[in-house]
Amino acid sequence: MGKFSNRYIGIYPILLVVLVITTLISIKFGAITITFEDIYAALTKVYRSRDQLNLTERIFLDIRLPRALTCIVVGASLAMSGVLMQALFRNPIVEPGLIGTSSGAALGASLYFVLGATFKIHAGVWTLPIAACAGGALSTLIVFFLSRNKIGGNRSVVGLLLTGIAINALFLSGVGFLSYIARDPQARSITFWNLGTLSGANWYSVIIIGTSSCLCMLWALRYTKHLNALMMGEEEALFLGVNIKRLQLTIIAINVILVAIATAFVGVISFVGLIVPHLLRLTRGSDNRFLLLGSALLGGILLSLADLAARLLLMPAELPIGIVTSIVGVPVFIILLRKNNYYF
Amino acid sequence: MIKVECITVRAGQKVLLDNISTVFEPGKMNLIIGPNGAGKSTLVKVMSGQLKPASGNVFYDGKELRGLSDEQLSRMRAVLSQNIDLAFPLNVLELVMMGRYPHFIGKPGPHDEQATEEAMRFFDVWEMADRNYMTLSGGEKQRVHFARVLSQIWFPVAGQPRYLMLDEPMTFLDIHYQFQFMHKLTDLLKDPELVVIGVVHDLNLAARFGDTILLLNRGTVLAGGNKEMVLTKENILKAFQLEPFIHQNEKTRSLNLFFE
């Protein structure tokens, strides 16, 4: 008895401790090194006016801390979305960047950047996240329905990836067109979007991405059991009482919100959603409840490390974080492809 | 009891099941036999609720299948299908626990852990609980799925029949486990409220264990009833285009078919 539930418990505290340590390291190092005394001093003065703080304390409170927290929530969002996508498509090499969600969100965001100013469309602080969500939802649904086999209703990996490539190309060329017609500052921000960057992180992005990732996690936790059943295929899941259509639409909706809101603020960051669930599967197994909670923590850890690398490698200049995750992620993707014998 | 009434299933122009009506009684080993393409699996799919027929009705003890939700069905009806492949590595205990999914929200309770353990011991797979499912042999995988499917309807509910549907369950089993599995099913049938319906290929296995046998051919019922009525020379010849020698032992009532 109890054999079942104790299997996964032990790993959460370890991940949590590692997350705190990496976050502290990520805060400490950068163009200016912040000591732990500075951090403590700044934390005691949180509620004071910014004028009373010295430069290091202000860098900590207004730049480093929101950036570190954004890293955590973005990493969690992308990694959880990887878990959900992989479970939904029943395939370990699926990733939000590969099946169009990110590029759709990028197109939605670019449309807002270019046209929003021109046509004076502005619905408050939520305009950008909503535009990104709409784009992400559109591209994901297109890939989801086009990759469906007409006869069996199953998705082949090849069909899925090829459809993803086509839709990605379409949406990214849309982004390219927008940056071509855009004025210079707009074009520059679109370019940054495509590469992914956390340099724009602030408290506003922490709060919005944090809220969306927490709500989506709670929402998705209700469906981890259904997603586990889906591992055996749609038929078997049906026999276990799972309403497949409703499950698919719900999971896609959760995904789109997770990825699009993160993408709206930090741009396209690929491969986090691929690597994190894979690493967790190596440690304990594939139970989706464990993968979802574990990914939220490990995603934050890995993205904090990637961000640290992005800031330190070319100091004082900064590398877009999407480049760092791609450099690490592509080899992992190829190893996964070879290991699972998906030959093309 | 499962009652099938005038079921017709079409795939394009092809008629898979043609106006089939039959009844499967509880407490009996109901076996379905027939040549390839006769519609055996299709009938199981219709009865399990996976496939909607073009016309006709299925009744679970008087209740129309259409009126039952997926959740309601999943708490009283378990189905073992052919060829299940797992998308991700999982340990055996977790896989068997999936059978309990219809019965809990969130985390499994002691009741669910008890059901899985008992079902796993029943099929001698408890020792494999911590092994990775992917590393099991075909026969071991099959037995794990027996345990999973059975754990889904492990506990009898008063006044509520349980239904077990098996689509070619013996595919990966050697003769030892085939007999062992059929004996275990026979044991389970001591519960008079359990309805077991199984598709089998081996006619001798059907003759040995089937209380009632349904012989399908080209989407219609060729014969149904006890083995002496169904496994006749004429029926077998008509369905399989092979003439059998039927050996009947009067004392043990056993019946064997031989082909040359």
Side-chain angles (χ1 to χ4, degrees):
Chain A
M1 283 302 137
K3 196 173 182 175
F4 190 78
S5 36
N6 292 335
R7 204 173 133 78
Y8 297 110
I9 298 288
I11 201 162
Y12 300 131
I14 301 173
L15 286 174
L16 199 63
V17 169
V18 177
L19 179 64
V20 172
I21 294 171
T22 43
T23 306
L24 282 176
I25 293 173
S26 168
I27 288 173
K28 195 166 160 50
F29 296 105
I32 292 174
T33 303
I34 299 178
T35 63
F36 291 120
E37 287 79 41
D38 293 326
I39 293 176
Y40 179 75
L43 283 176
T44 58
K45 299 178 197 161
V46 171
Y47 296 110
R48 287 197 213 161
S49 150
R50 290 290 188 265
D51 305 333
Q52 298 174 11
L53 274 61
N54 66 34
L55 182 67
T56 324
E57 287 163 353
R58 270 161 62 185
I59 288 177
F60 167 71
L61 275 184
D62 289 336
I63 299 174
R64 290 279 172 85
L65 187 57
R67 183 167 181 153
L69 294 177
T70 304
C71 258
I72 295 173
V73 290
V74 167
S77 294
L78 295 176
M80 287 194 291
S81 132
V83 171
L84 297 176
M85 289 271 180
Q86 292 173 6
L88 186 66
F89 287 99
R90 302 186 62 227
N91 200 300
I93 62 164
V94 177
E95 204 261 349
L98 288 174
I99 59 160
T101 315
S102 305
S103 56
L107 181 65
S110 325
L111 272 173
Y112 164 74
F113 278 122
V114 177
L115 302 181
T118 317
F119 294 106
K120 306 256 185 303
I121 305 165
H122 198 74
V125 294
W126 290 95
T127 321
L128 179 61
I130 288 170
C133 277
L138 182 68
S139 56
T140 311
L141 285 173
I142 293 175
V143 172
F144 188 76
F145 286 109
L146 284 185
S147 65
R148 217 179 151 88
N149 185 326
K150 272 185 204 150
I151 303 146
N154 289 319
R155 283 173 195 79
S156 74
V157 193
V158 179
L160 185 68
L161 290 179
L162 291 180
T163 316
I165 288 170
I167 298 301
N168 264 332
L170 180 70
F171 278 73
L172 287 178
S173 65
V175 175
F177 173 70
L178 286 173
S179 66
Y180 177 71
I181 61 165
R183 273 173 276 129
D184 195 43
Q186 294 166 343
R188 201 173 156 69
S189 52
I190 292 173
T191 309
F192 263 94
W193 241 250
N194 287 334
L195 297 172
T197 177
L198 279 146
S199 55
N202 52 32
W203 283 108
Y204 165 61
S205 64
V206 173
I207 289 164
I208 290 190
I209 307 171
T211 312
S212 87
S213 60
C214 286
L215 291 178
C216 285
M217 179 162 89
L218 293 176
W219 193 11
L221 273 176
R222 298 181 43 165
Y223 295 97
T224 50
K225 210 176 72 174
H226 305 70
L227 290 172
N228 283 348
L230 204 58
M231 278 188 221
M232 292 189 293
E234 294 186 8
E235 288 182 6
E236 302 307 309
L238 176 81
F239 294 143
L240 293 172
V242 176
N243 184 332
I244 304 288
K245 282 235 170 64
R246 202 168 64 199
L247 178 71
Q248 287 174 336
L249 290 176
T250 311
I251 296 300
I252 289 181
I254 298 174
N255 259 300
V256 167
I257 296 171
L258 277 174
V259 177
I261 289 189
T263 306
F265 288 97
V266 299
V268 181
I269 300 179
S270 307
F271 293 108
V272 176
L274 178 84
I275 302 170
V276 173
H278 180 64
L279 288 178
L280 283 171
R281 270 195 207 100
L282 289 179
T283 64
R284 281 291 193 283
S286 312
D287 178 45
N288 281 301
R289 192 185 169 81
F290 156 71
L291 287 183
L292 198 72
L293 294 169
S295 293
L297 297 168
L298 189 59
I301 295 171
L302 287 193
L303 204 65
S304 296
L305 291 176
D307 184 49
L308 192 64
R311 282 184 289 133
L312 295 185
L313 284 178
L314 289 184
M315 218 159 60
E318 187 182 319
L319 211 59
I321 192 168
I323 291 177
V324 178
T325 58
S326 294
I327 288 170
V328 181
V330 170
V332 176
F333 178 69
I334 289 170
I335 290 167
L336 270 178
L337 273 182
R338 312 254 345 148
K339 204 175 108 189
N340 289 308
N341 295 320
Y342 297 119
Y343 294 116
F344 292 92
Chain B
M1 184 175 79
I2 286 200
K3 198 165 114 190
V4 171
E5 224 175 57
C6 309
I7 292 288
T8 298
V9 175
R10 288 192 200 90
Q13 293 295 311
K14 201 166 181 280
V15 178
L16 301 179
L17 290 179
D18 189 6
N19 203 23
I20 283 196
S21 298
T22 185
V23 164
F24 298 99
E25 304 269 357
K28 284 187 179 168
M29 184 77 78
N30 299 290
L31 297 179
I32 304 174
I33 57 170
N36 290 335
K40 307 182 293 291
S41 294
T42 311
L43 182 58
V44 171
K45 279 181 184 165
V46 169
M47 289 191 294
S48 63
Q50 187 194 338
L51 189 70
K52 302 265 176 298
S55 64
N57 288 318
V58 178
F59 295 94
Y60 279 61
D61 283 75
K63 275 179 241 155
E64 218 179 317
L65 174 61
R66 249 172 267 173
L68 297 165
S69 71
D70 292 339
E71 287 89 1
Q72 280 176 308
L73 264 178
S74 65
R75 271 180 237 121
M76 58 187 192
R77 171 287 272 121
V79 187
L80 182 69
S81 25
Q82 313 172 22
N83 305 326
I84 301 161
D85 62 326
L86 211 58
F88 300 101
L90 205 64
N91 82 5
V92 169
L93 183 65
E94 286 173 310
L95 184 69
V96 177
M97 188 56 89
M98 286 187 183
R100 298 302 297 171
Y101 280 178
H103 302 277
F104 65 84
I105 300 166
K107 282 188 174 177
H111 209 55
D112 304 304
E113 305 219 340
Q114 187 194 339
T116 48
E117 180 169 345
E118 286 176 9
M120 287 172 85
R121 288 194 189 281
F122 189 71
F123 285 109
D124 302 319
V125 292
W126 181 243
E127 285 68 37
M128 303 175 195
D130 278 327
R131 282 183 61 191
N132 178 354
Y133 172 81
M134 300 285 204
T135 63
L136 303 182
S137 74
E140 288 170 331
K141 283 181 180 168
Q142 191 69 2
R143 281 154 54 209
V144 167
H145 283 297
F146 288 152
R148 171 179 64 82
V149 167
L150 214 65
S151 80
Q152 190 180 343
I153 50 169
W154 186 249
F155 297 113
V157 184
Q160 166 71 72
R162 297 175 291 161
Y163 310 87
L164 181 60
M165 300 178 185
L166 310 154
D167 191 358
E168 294 185 22
M170 318 289 201
T171 316
F172 296 104
L173 299 184
D174 62 33
I175 189 101
H176 168 78
Y177 278 114
Q178 287 188 358
F179 268 71
Q180 197 194 49
F181 174 65
M182 291 310 287
H183 280 299
K184 289 187 179 204
L185 270 189
T186 314
D187 273 359
L188 290 172
L189 282 169
K190 282 174 193 152
D191 173 13
E193 292 280 271
L194 179 68
V195 181
V196 173
I197 303 169
V199 172
V200 290
H201 260 304
D202 187 334
L203 300 180
N204 282 307
L205 214 61
R208 170 76 179 76
F209 291 99
D211 294 317
T212 67
I213 299 174
L214 185 74
L215 173 57
L216 293 185
N217 189 31
R218 297 181 186 187
T220 59
V221 177
L222 191 62
N226 63 33
K227 60 188 169 194
E228 287 84 3
M229 284 160 64
V230 176
L231 297 173
T232 63
K233 202 171 256 185
E234 298 73 42
N235 286 341
I236 301 299
L237 183 63
K238 201 167 174 189
F240 297 94
Q241 282 94 46
L242 273 176
E243 196 174 338
F245 294 100
I246 299 175
H247 175 261
Q248 196 161 10
N249 187 328
E250 295 299 332
K251 253 185 255 164
T252 57
R253 276 194 79 244
S254 75
L255 197 148
N256 289 292
L257 287 88
F258 303 95
F259 296 91
E260 270 189 10

